[in-house]
Amino acid sequence: MTPTPTGAVAATRVLVLNSGSSSVKYQLLDMDDSSRLAAGLVERIGEETSRVVHTPLAGGGAARRERTGPIADHGAALKAVAEELAQDGLGLDSPELAAIGHRVVHGGLRFTAPTVVTDEVLAEIERLVPVAPLHNPANITGIRTAQALRPDLPQVAVFDTAFHTTMPEYAARYAIDVETADAHRIRRYGFHGTSHAYVSRRTAELLGRAPEDVNVIVLHLGNGASASAVAGGRCVDTSMGLTPLEGLVMGTRSGDIDPAVTFHLKRVAGMSEDDVDVLLNKKSGLVGLCGDNDMREIRRRIDEGDEQARLAFEIYIHRLKKYIGAYYAVLGRVDAVVFTAGVGENAAPVREAAIAGLEELGLVVDAELNAVRSDEPRIVSPDYARVAVAVVPTDEELEIAQQTFALVTGAPAEG
């Protein structure tokens, strides 16, 4: 608790909310020292078996709490969050709470930076629902619920797409009729932007250089996966497009595919648009190839001689290599290739396989360094490597909190 010169308590806390269609993830951070005070999850909203998991992180005294029971809607979910925080003396009515930061998946071209939510801003986020039908409606619900709970507090939208708005037109445009594209907002927007921003900046720090002096290929590999080419702190290309379906092979998403496949499935297999949507987004990727989307299980199956799992892994790695090579060409000079998110941070075989054979590009992985498990940013390439290979744990919640706090207080934001 930081007193102001007048004796009042300084508002240095930010609540970060990530609202999904049936879940709310949250973290409470103190921006005085970027420490986490609490974190949690409300899931299965609208069901009888709703679950609240809350972990106090300040002081190290209280234990993780979990409770189940029906939570009707997002309003009830946020009230549950407030109750859990209040039990730890961190209530949402605290004068130390400066703002609530919301992850919003799609900001189109208009929102290139964190934005204080107004009625006009909400209306624009709503207009973008057709290009983010699975995400923006839930994000809007979370914002409106938080507004009702604390109408006096600044609500800040931090957009997944914002970091990628620096892409040049030749990278962002699809080669289709311009009038049609403009009329329906069809272009590459990119996603996971808060992660790519945070990780590219932290990679520059790891190299001991300023972000504006470093060219980085960021590989965000989780159940959803994306790559980006970052030149001097600015995104110049990214693998996801109009939606998060394009690009790398993912847990349940196909990534890059011939668009004519969709026409073929409708004409020949008699599939509806919804059927194709479900196929490509929920029944493809690793789960479509081998029935599993957990990389640990896939590696276990490979070790036992499962050829279907091996092929799925090889397809995954082949696509990854293609993007590393493509973004190397886009950047011209690469200072680091960095792995992040659940698979990128924890799956040493993925990192090893993705870099294998790229020695002529200056990319090498040190087997011993690569095998080390750590929560710290680290370089896993040998000292002689021309291009660093790094592992940098992502922290999207901290990035959202920093951007939110900087906006509402006028403090300088990192990056």
Side-chain angles (χ1 to χ4, degrees), residues 127 156 218 232 237 257 327 383:
R127 278 194 287 272
V156 176
V218 179
D237 207 346
I257 193 169
Y327 287 171
D383 290 340

Side-chain angles (χ1 to χ4, degrees), residues 305-354:
D306 188 318
E307 288 305 312
Q308 193 172 5
R310 182 180 301 281
L311 178 60
F313 183 79
E314 289 173 347
I315 293 170
Y316 181 94
I317 294 298
H318 180 69
R319 185 79 55 82
L320 200 49
K321 280 181 183 285
K322 286 172 68 175
Y323 269 92
I324 292 171
Y327 287 171
Y328 204 118
V330 166
L331 290 168
R333 187 201 85 238
V334 176
D335 299 294
V337 173
V338 56
F339 293 83
T340 192
V343 175
E345 293 168 27
N346 298 301
V350 168
R351 298 191 295 264
E352 180 183 3

Side-chain angles (χ1 to χ4, degrees), residues 28-210:
L28 181 66
L29 299 93
D30 191 332
M31 303 317 297
D32 217 12
D33 56 3
S34 297
S35 61
R36 285 170 176 74
L37 305 177
L41 166 70
V42 184
E43 61 180 352
R44 299 195 289 270
I45 296 170
E47 300 180 21
E48 291 297 313
T49 57
S50 304
R51 186 170 75 123
V52 181
V53 180
H54 177 83
T55 306
L57 300 171
R64 178 179 181 268
R65 298 191 294 270
E66 183 175 333
R67 59 186 170 99
T68 58
I71 293 178
D73 51 29
H74 283 71
L78 272 190
K79 286 177 183 174
V81 171
E83 289 167 5
E84 293 295 335
L85 291 170
Q87 282 192 53
D88 303 319
L90 303 169
L92 296 191
D93 57 351
S94 169
E96 293 180 81
L97 190 60
I100 298 178
H102 298 266
R103 179 197 179 213
V104 178
V105 167
H106 216 308
L109 290 180
R110 174 170 174 181
F111 299 114
T112 62
T115 305
V116 173
V117 175
T118 62
D119 290 343
E120 183 187 1
V121 168
L122 263 180
E124 181 62 21
I125 296 172
E126 200 150 20
R127 278 194 287 272
L128 288 162
V129 165
V131 289
L134 300 179
H135 299 93
N136 274 30
N139 302 154
I140 292 166
T141 299
I143 291 170
R144 286 185 172 144
T145 304
Q147 284 178 323
L149 199 62
R150 281 298 305 268
D152 59 312
L153 210 59
Q155 310 283 332
V156 176
V158 179
F159 299 91
D160 270 13
T161 49
F163 182 66
H164 303 302
T165 57
T166 56
M167 280 190 293
E169 281 293 282
Y170 56 74
R173 285 272 183 181
Y174 292 112
I176 67 172
D177 172 66
V178 171
E179 289 185 6
T180 302
D182 288 348
H184 300 286
R185 306 187 187 203
I186 299 171
R187 60 186 290 120
R188 175 171 286 108
Y189 292 100
F191 300 89
H192 295 143
T194 51
S195 177
H196 287 279
Y198 178 87
V199 169
S200 59
R201 193 171 65 246
R202 289 287 175 257
T203 302
E205 291 178 8
L206 184 63
L207 298 178
R209 297 165 64 180

Side-chain angles (χ1 to χ4, degrees), residues 54 78 89 114 246 404-406:
H54 177 83
L78 272 190
E246 188 180 0
T404 297
F405 191 68

